[in-house]
Amino acid sequence: MPEEIIQVNHVSKNFKDIIAVNDLSFTVLKNDVYGFLGQNGAGKSTMIRMLLTLIRPSSGEINIFGKQLATHRIESLKRMGAIIEKPDVYKYLSAFQNLALFAKLSGMRPSKSLLMDALKQVGLQNREHDLVKTFSQGMKQRLGIAIALIHEPDIIILDEPTNGLDPQGIADMRKMISYLQQERKKTVLVSSHLLSEIEQIATRILIIDKGKKLIEGEASTLLDPSNTMIEIKALKLEEALAKLRNSQWESLLVPGDEHSIKLKMSKNLIPKLHQWLVQNNVDIISMIPRHSLEDLFLQVTSGKNNVESI
Amino acid sequence: MWKVFSIEVYKIFKRPRTYIAFAAISALILIIQLGLYVDGNAYVDFIMSGLKDSFDFQGKILNGYLVCYILLQLLLVHVPLLIALVAADLVSGEANMGTLRLLLTKPQSKTTFMLGKFLAASFYTLLLLIWIAFLALAVSVWLFGTGDLIIQKNAYVVQIAQNDILWRYGYAFLFAFVAMLAVTALGFFLSVFSENSIGPIVATISIIIFFTIMSTMGIPLFQKIQPYLFTTHMVNWKEFFDEQLDTSGNVIKGSIQNMQQVNHSIIILSIYIIVFVWGAITFFKQKDILS
């Protein structure tokens, strides 16, 4: 059984009459990429801020590395690095100066070469002495990553790290999270509303709504690859549907709408289906596998009563 | 603590806003010095006109020591407004920039964080006063020379021998530092309650103006609370420029007439500093960081 890095036990947070987090419990294991999901206002950021001691829980207990966060705050923060939404740094300082400042606050006495290496790793090697006010959002995000990682934390907490990033920046962020988990053996807790991104990297997933847990479990179990929905659009939709009904694919058809055909199948079968459609002269406009996490998310957030742990 | 303090000082002096106070002070002092240098004797004749019938003044009345005294009278009322620009921005400015949440995810205790910030602002206040002392005293002495310091009080005139003045300025600036620390602490305290700098800066300045008016108006209702207002005590640096008389009416060299009042003012100002700093830290430790 992997080590339990973060334990959240029945944590609630009220802001006057508003219940932001409601009796939430979950566990993050060593080397997890823990996808923390929920709609806007679900309580993700409040929970993450409680993990980082920015917000005090109204009730419940948080343990980091088996020690109570409330009484071991400094010890716990030494082992944590974070980006909370957009990484705001000092705009009147350069990237190098910002990184040096936060490294010192993290308890380090960083050498110039260490700082330069850290900036190089996030692709800011030629802009290290430029003031941050001249940086794009993506560059600020990369600087935020360097700040979060400079003290080699064991836990990395990323709250909506892809906010404001372009598609390339989002892909880079995904690669970086995978690299941190696989190569550097870090534990990553990441919240995002970009389900497709989480789906590709998360090892475990928690979905919350209105501060309550809806579902938690292994990504491989929750995201059943045998149940991928494929949405096909064709030039002659009726003709394509008729062909499918008279084929080995018939049993996989699910009710669609007048604009598309839908099939539920294992991901492995998608290339075969594509090949069959081409061989049978179906003029395909598009063939889109709907993300199973999206399905899961919509399913549990519309049901809302299914508090489940797998 | 030292780490947070040094980082905060670094940040304060990297911000262009910090230098507004130094630039404003420099401009004000140099303009007043220029005015007095060009037409100072006429000004002195005017302020001493009531005394010329009773006293026969000889020697150089308009000297560097008098110029410094005039400057301090003018400036020490307005310096708090400049201090508020930095002190009231200490926490609120971080919240406004969004850096507060990143700072607080670093392994520092919140008390250390807050004390480091306050000490850094205190250091800024000290440097501002040292700069004022340099310009107002050293430059004035260089421009106007030295001589006895003649000051007109409400009902009498004080003449302090020139070899008995410098230490008084030293203590006056130390006292002014304590007084300005009370302003720093007020700004620091108010900065905890807001997530933008404008509110605490305006609030600090407003409180100083409001209290100063209450401290100086002779309305009986105000007089009852005047002893408890920090603004009443901020101007008591002037007590260092008053001498005791012996039983035969001769001046006791090196004496201060009302040291008890000075001590009392320092105690009141210190209480304000402690209460504001303690209040700021206590509230901050309870506060949820939502910025």
Side-chain angles (χ1 to χ4, degrees):
Chain A
M1 178 73 180
E3 187 186 353
E4 293 183 344
I5 303 289
I6 300 172
Q7 292 169 302
V8 174
N9 299 323
H10 303 288
V11 166
S12 296
K13 178 65 188 179
N14 305 338
F15 295 106
K16 293 181 182 166
D17 295 335
I18 299 164
I19 303 169
V21 173
N22 190 355
D23 194 31
L24 189 59
S25 298
F26 61 90
T27 304
V28 180
L29 304 175
K30 189 174 173 65
N31 204 218
D32 265 348
V33 172
Y34 195 85
F36 191 38
L37 307 175
Q39 292 169 331
N40 287 339
K44 303 188 299 289
S45 291
T46 303
M47 186 61 241
I48 282 180
R49 283 172 188 243
M50 285 194 278
L51 290 174
L52 292 164
T53 71
L54 296 172
I55 292 178
R56 290 148 51 96
S58 303
S59 63
E61 187 183 283
I62 299 170
N63 293 317
I64 307 287
F65 290 100
K67 290 182 178 169
Q68 209 179 324
L69 181 61
T71 50
H72 295 81
R73 177 177 174 270
I74 294 174
E75 200 180 321
S76 301
L77 289 177
K78 275 183 187 167
R79 302 181 72 175
M80 295 160 89
I83 297 178
I84 311 150
E85 295 170 22
K86 54 187 172 65
D88 288 308
V89 291
Y90 298 103
K91 294 178 180 70
Y92 53 88
L93 299 179
S94 70
F96 184 88
Q97 288 165 334
N98 267 293
L99 186 59
L101 185 152
F102 284 105
K104 283 178 193 164
L105 279 175
S106 299
M108 299 175 70
R109 299 181 76 178
S111 64
K112 190 180 173 188
S113 61
L114 179 78
L115 296 171
M116 294 302 277
D117 281 350
L119 289 170
K120 193 177 172 185
Q121 276 181 22
V122 293
L124 291 174
Q125 65 270 29
N126 297 321
R127 300 291 303 270
E128 68 268 20
H129 296 304
D130 292 350
L131 295 183
V132 170
K133 66 182 172 190
T134 66
F135 281 16
S136 67
Q137 184 60 30
M139 290 165 75
K140 284 182 199 164
Q141 199 80 0
R142 295 210 295 269
L143 176 59
I145 293 163
I147 289 170
L149 300 179
I150 187 73
H151 59 296
E152 285 289 332
D154 297 308
I155 308 169
I156 296 145
I157 294 178
L158 306 169
D159 185 14
E160 299 285 0
T162 51
N163 268 1
L165 293 185
D166 58 20
Q168 183 59 50
I170 292 171
D172 289 345
M173 179 65 76
R174 187 176 64 231
K175 279 182 201 161
M176 191 212 64
I177 293 171
S178 296
Y179 164 76
L180 289 170
Q181 186 230 4
Q182 287 161 17
E183 304 297 323
R184 293 171 71 175
K185 305 297 173 199
K186 307 288 184 192
T187 304
V188 183
L189 185 149
V190 55
S191 85
S192 178
H193 59 272
L194 295 177
L195 302 180
S196 57
E197 296 303 318
I198 295 286
E199 185 179 6
Q200 291 178 60
I201 53 174
T203 55
R204 299 178 72 236
I205 287 168
L206 168 69
I207 300 176
I208 66 166
D209 189 62
K210 292 182 181 167
K212 283 183 87 76
K213 184 202 285 188
L214 292 182
I215 196 163
E216 183 193 15
E218 298 280 339
S220 56
T221 314
L222 294 176
L223 307 176
D224 183 358
S226 65
N227 272 322
T228 302
M229 183 80 80
I230 306 294
E231 190 173 350
I232 298 168
K233 289 188 179 175
L235 277 179
K236 296 170 184 168
L237 198 69
E238 290 295 325
E239 191 182 314
L241 186 60
K243 284 180 179 177
L244 283 164
R245 277 184 179 149
N246 294 321
S247 72
Q248 73 269 32
W249 305 104
E250 188 193 6
S251 61
L252 303 177
L253 281 166
V254 292
D257 53 39
E258 58 191 31
H259 306 294
S260 65
I261 301 165
K262 286 178 180 167
L263 296 98
K264 209 166 201 178
M265 61 171 67
S266 165
K267 270 185 181 174
N268 302 334
L269 291 175
I270 296 173
K272 281 185 185 172
L273 172 65
H274 182 258
Q275 199 178 12
W276 186 90
L277 288 168
V278 172
Q279 281 170 356
N280 286 274
N281 301 317
V282 177
D283 298 321
I284 309 164
I285 298 171
S286 66
M287 193 172 161
I288 303 167
R290 276 188 62 191
H291 296 292
S292 48
L293 180 57
E294 191 175 312
D295 283 340
L296 176 71
F297 184 80
L298 292 173
Q299 188 188 322
V300 296
T301 53
S302 58
K304 290 181 186 174
N305 294 322
N306 312 328
V307 179
E308 203 175 327
S309 196
I310 296 171
Chain B
M1 176 79 80
W2 169 251
K3 186 167 49 188
V4 178
F5 167 75
S6 59
I7 285 171
E8 289 300 328
V9 168
Y10 175 75
K11 275 158 46 185
I12 286 175
F13 285 95
K14 276 282 181 182
R15 295 188 77 172
R17 180 190 292 186
T18 303
Y19 298 96
I20 293 172
F22 284 89
I25 291 288
S26 306
L28 267 169
I29 292 177
L30 293 172
I31 283 170
I32 294 167
Q33 283 170 333
L34 178 69
L36 289 173
Y37 192 76
V38 173
D39 217 5
N41 288 325
Y43 175 74
V44 170
D45 285 345
F46 172 73
I47 58 172
M48 295 289 180
S49 56
L51 302 170
K52 289 219 165 173
D53 297 337
S54 317
F55 296 95
D56 177 26
F57 291 108
Q58 289 186 346
K60 196 176 177 185
I61 297 172
L62 184 67
N63 55 51
Y65 296 139
L66 180 63
V67 172
C68 183
Y69 191 86
I70 293 167
L71 284 168
L72 289 191
Q73 270 189 311
L74 293 171
L75 284 177
L76 289 181
V77 180
H78 300 106
V79 169
L81 311 183
L82 299 171
I83 288 171
L85 283 178
V86 168
D89 181 61
L90 282 171
V91 180
S92 58
E94 300 276 9
N96 191 31
M97 278 189 288
T99 45
L100 187 59
R101 57 177 190 260
L102 186 53
L103 283 172
L104 292 176
T105 60
K106 298 299 163 192
Q108 305 290 333
S109 83
K110 289 182 181 176
T111 304
T112 304
F113 171 77
M114 290 294 278
L115 281 176
K117 272 194 168 295
F118 178 70
L119 288 178
S122 304
F123 182 68
Y124 161 79
T125 303
L126 178 66
L127 288 186
L128 196 61
L129 280 169
I130 289 171
W131 182 240
I132 292 172
F134 169 74
L135 287 179
L137 186 59
V139 174
S140 293
V141 166
W142 175 64
L143 281 174
F144 296 91
T146 56
D148 289 355
L149 176 63
I150 297 169
I151 306 163
Q152 186 180 2
K153 298 276 181 176
N154 286 340
Y156 54 94
V157 172
V158 177
Q159 180 175 0
I160 302 171
Q162 63 173 312
N163 59 1
D164 192 30
I165 295 172
L166 273 180
W167 70 271
R168 292 177 190 276
Y169 271 118
Y171 280 108
F173 276 109
L174 276 178
F175 182 93
F177 177 57
V178 177
M180 294 306 128
L181 271 191
V183 176
T184 308
L186 170 65
F188 177 63
F189 174 69
L190 293 174
S191 77
V192 174
F193 295 91
S194 175
E195 290 183 0
N196 74 72
S197 309
I198 307 293
I201 290 172
V202 172
T204 306
I205 292 171
S206 302
I207 288 171
I208 292 165
I209 293 171
F210 184 69
F211 277 20
T212 303
I213 291 168
M214 287 176 70
S215 295
T216 48
M217 287 188 82
I219 298 170
L221 177 68
F222 292 171
Q223 282 173 337
K224 283 181 189 166
I225 57 168
Q226 277 170 0
Y228 307 104
L229 300 176
F230 67 89
T231 43
T232 307
H233 299 276
M234 279 168 60
V235 293
N236 281 343
W237 60 272
K238 291 178 189 172
E239 295 296 334
F240 288 103
F241 298 91
D242 209 347
E243 296 170 307
Q244 279 180 342
L245 301 177
D246 61 18
T247 46
S248 26
N250 295 320
V251 166
I252 303 170
K253 199 179 171 188
S255 65
I256 296 167
Q257 192 188 40
N258 198 352
M259 195 60 204
Q260 203 178 351
Q261 179 58 48
V262 172
N263 289 334
H264 177 71
S265 293
I266 288 174
I267 290 168
I268 296 282
L269 290 167
S270 300
I271 289 170
Y272 267 101
I273 294 166
I274 292 164
V275 168
F276 283 143
V277 173
W278 175 82
I281 293 172
T282 305
F283 182 80
F284 186 76
K285 284 171 79 174
Q286 307 295 323
K287 189 183 178 187
D288 287 332
I289 308 302
L290 303 171
S291 62

